[in-house]
Amino acid sequence: MEVLQTLKDEGSDKVYMWQILTLPSVQKLIGGGGSYLTGNLRYYLYNDFMTDISPVCKNQSMVFFDSLGAGKMWALKMFDAAAKPPRSLFLGNINWVGNWDQCHQVKSNGSRPEFRGKYCRASIGIPKGVLPIENLPGLENAKLEVGICFPDQCTEKDVAAHVRAGLDLVTLTFLPVVEVECEGEEHPDSDFWIVIGVVIGMAVLIAAATIYDGVRRFMMQSGEVDFQDATAQRDTSDEIASSSNDIPLKKLSLGGQENQGFHNDETPTANQNGGPALQQNGRPASQQNGTPRNQAARSATAPRSADKQQAVPEPQTTAGKLVVGCSAIANTEFVFDTYLPDTAITALDGIRVISTTWVILGHVFNYATDRSRFVLLENGIDVWDLQKEFNSQTIINGTFAVDTFFFMSALLMTFLTMKKWKRSGKIYGPKEWFFFYFLRWLRIVPALLFVVAVYTWVLPWVGNGPLWSTRQFPPNRSDCVNYFWAYALLIHNFIPNGIGSKCLGYTWYVANDYQLWAISPIIMIIMFFSPIASFILMFGIVVASLIAGGYIYQDLYVYGDSITTLLRVWDDYYVKPYTRCIPWMIGIAFGYLFFKTQGRIRMKAVYVILGWMLATAGSFANFGEGMTKIDTLPHTLYNVLTRILWALCIGWVVFACHKGYGGIVNRLLSWSAYRPLSKMTYVAYLIHPAIMLVYMFLQKSLIFATEITLVYLYFGHLITTFVIAYIIGLLVEFPMANMQKILFKQG
């Protein structure tokens, strides 16, 4: 009654809803006395109610009304398929989907004219104050979504007229019909077939390479071909332990091969002087008195690529290497090969995998509550309230995971680049600088563009249902279409008004990573000649980032509402490299520290204990219970300073494990099972939100989310993500990485 009173106060003079929806009237309407739809009512429906409806839709609608009054089963099913006011209205359930499958089963058997059911969705404006949903981010201008089953010849204009007349009938004249969308006969466009053709071509290429590699292996093992002379001697100082696919590819001496936070490209092992080194997948060496500190952490059963090197030697021609580099057999061996040199530290593989799963966890909650088009949960307000509980702080603070990737990328880049310059006694020349940038771009862009293309031009055609719309899925699809070039150039986070980072918004990290990579040579060149000057420069960059970030954040901060704040600061703060560069700068500093301290550093036990205590306390400093509302200044300081604290904590963990003070933490992070997963984290990051969106929009009814529901969704998405990441890795990432190493090897 309060809702009806509110509606009345909004502008209606009378509300006849209770008069119409009485039990006798419903019984007469559905239970069948055809007399109820005769005479004056039938005249009203045809001449007054459907005045703005096309003749063909009007005739089919009258067949439906007559059949409903006669109690025909198909008409009852059609009526039943339409949405009705559901439960959980005050928990945010304003998306009434109806029964999509039942609507499609409707066929007006024996009637004239005959027709089938067609599912339509009507968006109706909701006056402010009627439902307690305005405080949910993204629902400030929420609409009531109603699924309706109509005759298939009715157009969207006809449906809008029907809905408008229905609202007027119950005196809800002040409610606007904002939009109507009906299913139609749509077919994939040329872009779809182009992308599908490219994917099929790539799959055929991989299949052919796999067959070639399989035949080659069979012939060699059967003794029909003597490959003994082709066997290359393994050189652990220069080869890449890139896989057990028996292609010992020489390590690139130029820039571009360094690992992105996700990537597992190469494994430089011990240097020529016997000192420890850092492998390309993020594993620095660690020794104590000549004995590897992490040897016990490695799986005793991990396969050793060096032992298998003589079994299947590499082809001697470049063409042969390229073909085998595309083989699914060879690349599968690479993925599941857990061998690492005794001098390699394995902790970063664990950090990489854990950080990726942390990102996925946060996005499970984020995409389940997606409101880009309409709500996808029956109880969105309940899920919103979960953030107030302490258990949810891990999810809310998942944004720190990308800072970990920034840190690792910068550390690896600095360590390997400085090491090369020291060996050669000089910095790069023009040719080397070209490859520094080009190979890095070539390493990360192919997989990115593959995902963008499939997401933009293929996914709209893979699903259906009451929540699915080929014209409007995925959300903000037009941004990907219009700014595909910006994704290719890795500048989509700088498109004005944030429109370049709305379609695949989470790929802002990839763009930031390359942009920070691009400016890093300035710091490294200064560092090579004057470390003190470079650290002064980095300190200035950190201070400038703190000031810029703090100014932007405080200007957009919404008191007591961290999620709304995140939405507001997204374009100007969250996705820009000048506000996200602090972990990168700290990573460069640690990379230089690794470079200068190759070997074991002896530290007193008190310093080790103090370091772990500070790192543990610092990493949990961002957690708090109850979502206490914080004023602008302290919240701004918290937001910008915790980025420094987090990167320093991760730096200590990596440093301690590298130098032999990791203990049980190193053993946990060095679990050999992380190794295969760590090779798929980049693609896993690129595809996991698309998987979540497809799942949510394929639902035939809204999900009533509880904590256990979301936990099960998380593990389902996690497993699905890595399975698909493995497939895309075989199709795109691993072949491209191998081709890069073969075609652009230097020295």
Side-chain angles (χ1 to χ4, degrees):
M1 293 301 295
E2 292 179 359
V3 174
L4 293 178
Q5 184 62 42
T6 302
L7 295 177
K8 180 178 180 180
D9 294 340
E10 290 288 339
S12 60
D13 296 326
K14 297 180 181 180
V15 178
Y16 296 108
M17 188 173 294
W18 295 124
Q19 299 173 357
I20 294 174
L21 298 181
T22 60
L23 181 59
S25 64
V26 172
Q27 288 175 333
K28 289 181 179 179
L29 179 63
I30 300 179
S35 59
Y36 189 73
L37 286 179
T38 60
N40 292 335
L41 180 57
R42 196 177 193 283
Y43 177 88
Y44 167 77
L45 289 174
Y46 192 85
N47 295 284
D48 295 328
F49 185 82
M50 296 188 288
T51 53
D52 297 326
I53 297 173
S54 64
V56 62
C57 180
K58 182 182 293 187
N59 291 335
Q60 290 183 345
S61 298
M62 288 308 302
V63 170
F64 163 70
F65 285 127
D66 289 340
S67 300
L68 183 64
K72 292 185 178 181
M73 184 56 65
W74 70 263
L76 293 173
K77 287 185 176 180
M78 192 171 186
F79 175 78
D80 185 49
K84 320 294 188 306
R87 63 178 184 179
S88 307
L89 194 62
F90 289 93
L91 293 179
N93 187 4
I94 56 173
N95 189 0
W96 306 351
V97 297
N99 192 320
W100 183 87
D101 287 317
Q102 184 167 296
C103 180
H104 281 266
Q105 296 168 4
V106 169
K107 183 178 180 181
S108 60
N109 297 320
S111 64
R112 290 291 182 270
E114 286 194 355
F115 57 85
R116 291 182 176 273
K118 178 172 69 173
Y119 185 86
C120 298
R121 172 183 292 277
S123 301
I124 302 171
I126 304 176
K128 292 185 179 298
V130 175
L131 295 175
I133 58 174
E134 287 81 8
N135 294 329
L136 286 179
L139 291 182
E140 296 84 0
N141 300 308
K143 300 180 291 293
L144 178 65
E145 304 288 340
V146 182
I148 316 172
C149 191
F150 271 88
D152 57 11
Q153 293 301 310
C154 292
T155 65
E156 292 178 350
K157 182 179 179 180
D158 292 329
V159 175
H162 264 293
V163 176
R164 177 72 273 159
L167 292 173
D168 292 344
L169 179 63
V170 294
T171 66
L172 299 178
T173 57
F174 57 91
L175 295 182
V177 180
V178 179
E179 180 186 13
V180 169
E181 181 181 6
C182 294
E183 296 176 320
E185 290 292 332
E186 296 179 285
H187 302 283
D189 53 17
S190 59
D191 293 328
F192 169 85
W193 293 113
I194 291 173
V195 175
I196 288 295
V198 171
V199 173
I200 293 175
M202 296 170 65
V204 170
L205 176 64
I206 300 303
T210 303
I211 293 173
Y212 168 82
D213 190 27
V215 172
R216 171 178 172 269
R217 291 165 181 259
F218 175 79
M219 294 177 65
M220 187 193 65
Q221 293 173 358
S222 63
E224 297 182 25
V225 178
D226 184 9
F227 285 90
Q228 183 63 34
D229 293 337
T231 302
Q233 180 65 32
R234 183 178 182 85
D235 181 354
T236 58
S237 66
D238 289 329
E239 289 177 356
I240 305 166
S242 60
S243 68
S244 57
N245 63 2
D246 311 300
I247 309 177
L249 308 174
K250 294 292 182 181
K251 180 179 67 177
L252 297 174
S253 62
L254 303 180
Q257 79 281 12
E258 285 79 0
N259 188 336
Q260 185 179 7
F262 295 105
H263 293 164
N264 291 271
D265 295 348
E266 309 176 358
T267 309
T269 57
N271 62 29
Q272 295 177 353
N273 297 325
L278 201 72
Q279 76 176 47
Q280 181 57 21
N281 58 17
R283 301 180 180 279
S286 178
Q287 294 181 345
Q288 179 183 11
N289 300 327
T291 301
R293 297 284 300 179
N294 67 332
Q295 188 170 6
R298 283 179 44 234
S299 171
T301 60
R304 299 183 60 89
S305 297
D307 297 339
K308 301 188 297 179
Q309 187 65 32
Q310 300 294 327
V312 188
E314 66 173 332
Q316 292 302 289
T317 64
T318 299
K321 294 177 182 179
L322 288 172
V323 172
V324 175
C326 295
S327 166
I329 299 174
N331 287 320
T332 297
E333 287 183 345
F334 160 63
V335 170
F336 292 99
D337 181 9
T338 60
Y339 168 76
L340 283 172
D342 290 340
T343 54
I345 186 171
T346 53
L348 285 185
D349 271 347
I351 294 175
R352 182 179 295 107
V353 172
I354 292 172
S355 297
T356 302
T357 59
W358 192 9
V359 171
I360 294 175
L361 175 64
H363 282 164
V364 165
F365 283 76
N366 182 46
Y367 285 93
T369 57
D370 179 79
R371 297 173 293 278
S372 55
R373 283 199 62 208
F374 36 66
V375 296
L376 300 174
L377 295 178
E378 182 179 327
N379 58 327
I381 293 180
D382 282 346
V383 177
W384 173 254
D385 288 339
L386 287 177
Q387 67 169 314
K388 300 176 182 179
E389 300 179 9
F390 178 77
N391 296 340
S392 300
Q393 300 309 299
T394 302
I395 300 168
I396 294 173
N397 290 285
T399 57
F400 287 96
V402 290
D403 289 341
T404 304
F405 294 127
F406 284 139
F407 172 86
M408 290 191 292
S409 289
L411 184 152
L412 297 167
M413 173 198 67
T414 305
F415 178 86
L416 293 174
T417 302
M418 299 297 292
K419 187 176 174 182
K420 293 171 192 173
W421 290 353
K422 181 179 179 180
R423 288 178 177 175
S424 64
K426 61 180 181 179
I427 63 174
Y428 293 152
K431 179 181 178 182
E432 288 83 3
W433 282 123
F434 168 78
F435 279 105
F436 180 87
Y437 290 107
F438 173 69
L439 293 182
R440 180 65 167 181
W441 179 90
L442 189 64
R443 180 66 185 88
I444 62 180
V445 166
L448 172 64
L449 294 186
F450 177 87
V451 172
V452 173
V454 173
Y455 182 82
T456 304
W457 289 293
V458 176
L459 284 190
W461 304 98
V462 303
N464 55 41
L467 304 176
W468 195 277
S469 171
T470 300
R471 285 175 282 177
Q472 300 191 49
F473 183 88
N476 302 304
R477 174 175 176 262
S478 61
D479 291 344
C480 277
V481 175
N482 297 330
Y483 297 102
F484 187 82
W485 59 270
Y487 284 88
L489 296 177
L490 298 173
I491 59 172
H492 52 282
N493 60 320
F494 275 103
I495 301 298
N497 301 318
I499 56 179
S501 58
K502 289 182 179 179
C503 176
L504 285 165
Y506 57 93
T507 59
W508 68 269
Y509 162 76
V510 182
N512 270 246
D513 184 272
Y514 189 80
Q515 291 156 10
L516 292 171
W517 174 281
I519 67 171
S520 296
I522 300 174
I523 299 173
M524 291 190 294
I525 291 173
I526 297 175
M527 181 176 288
F528 185 73
F529 295 104
S530 176
I532 295 178
S534 68
F535 275 86
I536 293 175
L537 174 61
M538 286 192 294
F539 178 79
I541 293 174
V542 169
V543 172
S545 178
L546 289 173
I547 295 174
Y551 176 79
I552 296 171
Y553 195 89
Q554 63 85 28
D555 188 52
L556 299 173
Y557 173 63
V558 178
Y559 176 72
D561 194 337
S562 60
I563 305 300
T564 301
T565 299
L566 177 59
L567 296 175
R568 294 189 63 187
V569 305
W570 176 264
D571 180 43
D572 295 325
Y573 173 84
Y574 194 81
V575 302
K576 294 298 190 290
Y578 47 78
T579 57
R580 303 306 298 260
C581 65
I582 293 176
W584 188 277
M585 295 299 133
I586 295 175
I588 291 178
F590 271 88
Y592 183 77
L593 179 63
F594 276 63
F595 167 69
K596 296 298 291 185
T597 60
Q598 299 184 38
R600 176 172 170 79
I601 293 180
R602 297 189 178 277
M603 291 187 291
K604 294 182 179 180
V606 63
Y607 295 141
V608 175
I609 295 173
L610 180 62
W612 279 108
M613 290 177 62
L614 292 176
T616 302
S619 62
F620 283 96
N622 56 334
F623 289 78
E625 188 170 4
M627 290 295 293
T628 302
K629 294 183 178 181
I630 307 175
D631 290 332
T632 300
L633 179 59
H635 196 283
T636 300
L637 292 174
Y638 158 81
N639 187 74
V640 296
L641 294 177
T642 49
R643 304 290 173 183
I644 300 177
L645 183 60
W646 179 264
L648 290 173
C649 293
I650 297 298
W652 167 260
V653 172
V654 176
F655 183 81
C657 291
H658 179 70
K659 299 304 178 182
Y661 298 102
I664 189 173
V665 175
N666 185 36
R667 288 193 291 272
L668 291 173
L669 295 176
S670 300
W671 185 29
S672 61
Y674 287 131
R675 180 73 177 146
L677 295 175
S678 70
K679 300 171 187 177
M680 299 182 282
T681 50
Y682 176 52
V683 175
Y685 179 85
L686 292 179
I687 66 173
H688 76 273
I691 294 172
M692 296 175 187
L693 280 177
V694 169
Y695 173 82
M696 293 303 298
F697 279 89
L698 279 177
Q699 299 303 305
K700 300 297 179 68
S701 62
L702 301 190
I703 297 174
F704 191 95
T706 63
E707 290 185 2
I708 191 64
T709 302
L710 295 173
V711 168
Y712 266 77
L713 278 180
Y714 167 65
F715 283 106
H717 288 318
L718 186 65
I719 295 172
T720 304
T721 293
F722 276 98
V723 170
I724 297 179
Y726 164 71
I727 296 172
I728 296 179
L730 295 181
L731 195 64
V732 184
E733 187 186 21
F734 305 143
M736 289 300 301
N738 287 333
M739 284 190 281
Q740 174 184 330
K741 296 168 188 175
I742 295 167
L743 296 177
F744 298 102
K745 61 182 179 180
Q746 303 289 327

PDB file of all heavy atoms in Angstrom, residues 303-314:
ATOM      1  N   PRO A 303      60.335 -32.974 -13.812  1.00  0.00           N
ATOM      2  CA  PRO A 303      61.127 -33.432 -14.940  1.00  0.00           C
ATOM      3  C   PRO A 303      62.260 -32.476 -15.234  1.00  0.00           C
ATOM      4  O   PRO A 303      62.127 -31.269 -15.064  1.00  0.00           O
ATOM      5  CB  PRO A 303      60.114 -33.464 -16.092  1.00  0.00           C
ATOM      6  CG  PRO A 303      59.054 -32.506 -15.681  1.00  0.00           C
ATOM      7  CD  PRO A 303      58.982 -32.595 -14.196  1.00  0.00           C
ATOM      8  N   ARG A 304      63.366 -32.980 -15.680  1.00  0.00           N
ATOM      9  CA  ARG A 304      64.521 -32.166 -15.995  1.00  0.00           C
ATOM     10  C   ARG A 304      64.685 -32.092 -17.505  1.00  0.00           C
ATOM     11  O   ARG A 304      64.962 -33.070 -18.169  1.00  0.00           O
ATOM     12  CB  ARG A 304      65.780 -32.742 -15.354  1.00  0.00           C
ATOM     13  CG  ARG A 304      65.724 -32.797 -13.834  1.00  0.00           C
ATOM     14  CD  ARG A 304      67.031 -33.313 -13.262  1.00  0.00           C
ATOM     15  NE  ARG A 304      68.145 -32.479 -13.620  1.00  0.00           N
ATOM     16  CZ  ARG A 304      68.551 -31.436 -12.902  1.00  0.00           C
ATOM     17  NH1 ARG A 304      67.899 -31.109 -11.808  1.00  0.00           N
ATOM     18  NH2 ARG A 304      69.585 -30.710 -13.289  1.00  0.00           N
ATOM     19  N   SER A 305      64.513 -30.860 -18.033  1.00  0.00           N
ATOM     20  CA  SER A 305      64.587 -30.675 -19.463  1.00  0.00           C
ATOM     21  C   SER A 305      65.961 -31.046 -19.991  1.00  0.00           C
ATOM     22  O   SER A 305      66.100 -31.574 -21.087  1.00  0.00           O
ATOM     23  CB  SER A 305      64.268 -29.224 -19.819  1.00  0.00           C
ATOM     24  OG  SER A 305      62.952 -28.908 -19.455  1.00  0.00           O
ATOM     25  N   ALA A 306      67.016 -30.776 -19.208  1.00  0.00           N
ATOM     26  CA  ALA A 306      68.361 -31.060 -19.684  1.00  0.00           C
ATOM     27  C   ALA A 306      68.561 -32.544 -19.910  1.00  0.00           C
ATOM     28  O   ALA A 306      69.260 -32.966 -20.830  1.00  0.00           O
ATOM     29  CB  ALA A 306      69.381 -30.521 -18.678  1.00  0.00           C
ATOM     30  N   ASP A 307      67.950 -33.374 -19.049  1.00  0.00           N
ATOM     31  CA  ASP A 307      68.095 -34.813 -19.200  1.00  0.00           C
ATOM     32  C   ASP A 307      67.405 -35.315 -20.450  1.00  0.00           C
ATOM     33  O   ASP A 307      67.773 -36.343 -21.009  1.00  0.00           O
ATOM     34  CB  ASP A 307      67.517 -35.527 -17.974  1.00  0.00           C
ATOM     35  CG  ASP A 307      68.284 -35.166 -16.714  1.00  0.00           C
ATOM     36  OD1 ASP A 307      69.448 -34.722 -16.832  1.00  0.00           O
ATOM     37  OD2 ASP A 307      67.697 -35.316 -15.623  1.00  0.00           O
ATOM     38  N   LYS A 308      66.365 -34.601 -20.889  1.00  0.00           N
ATOM     39  CA  LYS A 308      65.612 -35.050 -22.047  1.00  0.00           C
ATOM     40  C   LYS A 308      66.095 -34.392 -23.329  1.00  0.00           C
ATOM     41  O   LYS A 308      65.572 -34.650 -24.398  1.00  0.00           O
ATOM     42  CB  LYS A 308      64.119 -34.733 -21.858  1.00  0.00           C
ATOM     43  CG  LYS A 308      63.512 -35.375 -20.650  1.00  0.00           C
ATOM     44  CD  LYS A 308      62.012 -35.196 -20.634  1.00  0.00           C
ATOM     45  CE  LYS A 308      61.636 -33.746 -20.537  1.00  0.00           C
ATOM     46  NZ  LYS A 308      60.188 -33.544 -20.536  1.00  0.00           N
ATOM     47  N   GLN A 309      67.132 -33.523 -23.208  1.00  0.00           N
ATOM     48  CA  GLN A 309      67.527 -32.732 -24.346  1.00  0.00           C
ATOM     49  C   GLN A 309      67.985 -33.590 -25.517  1.00  0.00           C
ATOM     50  O   GLN A 309      67.726 -33.274 -26.662  1.00  0.00           O
ATOM     51  CB  GLN A 309      68.641 -31.765 -23.925  1.00  0.00           C
ATOM     52  CG  GLN A 309      69.020 -30.761 -24.987  1.00  0.00           C
ATOM     53  CD  GLN A 309      67.881 -29.832 -25.285  1.00  0.00           C
ATOM     54  OE1 GLN A 309      67.093 -29.514 -24.408  1.00  0.00           O
ATOM     55  NE2 GLN A 309      67.772 -29.395 -26.523  1.00  0.00           N
ATOM     56  N   GLN A 310      68.677 -34.686 -25.246  1.00  0.00           N
ATOM     57  CA  GLN A 310      69.203 -35.510 -26.312  1.00  0.00           C
ATOM     58  C   GLN A 310      68.125 -36.354 -26.967  1.00  0.00           C
ATOM     59  O   GLN A 310      68.323 -36.887 -28.040  1.00  0.00           O
ATOM     60  CB  GLN A 310      70.303 -36.431 -25.749  1.00  0.00           C
ATOM     61  CG  GLN A 310      71.487 -35.688 -25.132  1.00  0.00           C
ATOM     62  CD  GLN A 310      72.271 -34.911 -26.167  1.00  0.00           C
ATOM     63  OE1 GLN A 310      72.364 -35.346 -27.312  1.00  0.00           O
ATOM     64  NE2 GLN A 310      72.819 -33.763 -25.789  1.00  0.00           N
ATOM     65  N   ALA A 311      66.950 -36.486 -26.334  1.00  0.00           N
ATOM     66  CA  ALA A 311      65.930 -37.401 -26.846  1.00  0.00           C
ATOM     67  C   ALA A 311      65.288 -36.883 -28.121  1.00  0.00           C
ATOM     68  O   ALA A 311      65.146 -37.613 -29.089  1.00  0.00           O
ATOM     69  CB  ALA A 311      64.868 -37.636 -25.781  1.00  0.00           C
ATOM     70  N   VAL A 312      64.898 -35.620 -28.137  1.00  0.00           N
ATOM     71  CA  VAL A 312      64.236 -35.053 -29.301  1.00  0.00           C
ATOM     72  C   VAL A 312      64.920 -33.743 -29.639  1.00  0.00           C
ATOM     73  O   VAL A 312      64.501 -32.685 -29.190  1.00  0.00           O
ATOM     74  CB  VAL A 312      62.739 -34.817 -29.033  1.00  0.00           C
ATOM     75  CG1 VAL A 312      62.030 -34.407 -30.316  1.00  0.00           C
ATOM     76  CG2 VAL A 312      62.099 -36.061 -28.453  1.00  0.00           C
ATOM     77  N   PRO A 313      65.996 -33.765 -30.416  1.00  0.00           N
ATOM     78  CA  PRO A 313      66.740 -32.550 -30.717  1.00  0.00           C
ATOM     79  C   PRO A 313      65.946 -31.614 -31.605  1.00  0.00           C
ATOM     80  O   PRO A 313      64.986 -31.996 -32.257  1.00  0.00           O
ATOM     81  CB  PRO A 313      67.983 -33.065 -31.426  1.00  0.00           C
ATOM     82  CG  PRO A 313      67.565 -34.363 -32.019  1.00  0.00           C
ATOM     83  CD  PRO A 313      66.583 -34.954 -31.050  1.00  0.00           C
ATOM     84  N   GLU A 314      66.394 -30.384 -31.633  1.00  0.00           N
ATOM     85  CA  GLU A 314      65.717 -29.373 -32.422  1.00  0.00           C
ATOM     86  C   GLU A 314      65.961 -29.567 -33.910  1.00  0.00           C
ATOM     87  O   GLU A 314      66.998 -30.098 -34.323  1.00  0.00           O
ATOM     88  CB  GLU A 314      66.197 -27.984 -32.014  1.00  0.00           C
ATOM     89  CG  GLU A 314      67.665 -27.752 -32.345  1.00  0.00           C
ATOM     90  CD  GLU A 314      68.090 -26.329 -32.102  1.00  0.00           C
ATOM     91  OE1 GLU A 314      67.245 -25.444 -32.193  1.00  0.00           O
ATOM     92  OE2 GLU A 314      69.285 -26.120 -31.818  1.00  0.00           O
TER      93      GLU A 314
END
